[in-house]
Amino acid sequence: MNASPTTATAAAPPAETRPDLLTVAEAAANINTSERFARRLVSDRHVQVVKLGKHVRIPRPALDEYVAANTREPVVPRV
């Protein structure tokens, strides 16, 4: 018997359509910081996280937003 589309389990969306989910170690490497700093960003809720059971993942766009929000322009000296 063929399973009808309504009874079939939904498959995960393709990787190219869902955001990259980084582990804390991958996020730390991505922004060139220590893993401890990345964990502190998560615990202080400075970045959005996704909880998958006991696993914590940081969406790449959330990490990019954090970096953009904390980027400062250089000070131009007055002449």
Side-chain angles (χ1 to χ4, degrees), residues 12-77:
E16 58 270 7
T17 62
R18 63 176 191 255
D20 288 342
L21 297 176
L22 305 173
T23 64
V24 174
E26 291 169 338
N30 194 290
I31 59 173
N32 199 25
T33 63
S34 67
E35 192 170 328
R36 181 177 177 188
F37 179 79
R39 288 191 186 282
R40 204 169 76 226
L41 290 177
V42 170
S43 67
D44 292 347
R45 297 184 179 202
H46 289 295
V47 293
Q48 178 186 28
V49 298
V50 176
K51 293 277 295 205
L52 301 170
K54 67 178 183 174
H55 304 284
V56 174
R57 297 293 183 260
I58 302 170
R60 189 180 304 272
L63 196 59
D64 293 341
E65 287 174 20
Y66 176 81
V67 170
N70 288 284
T71 300
R72 304 289 182 255
E73 294 298 322
V75 177
V76 179

Side-chain angles (χ1 to χ4, degrees), residues 1-11:
M1 298 253 174
N2 292 342
S4 67
T6 57
T7 60
T9 57

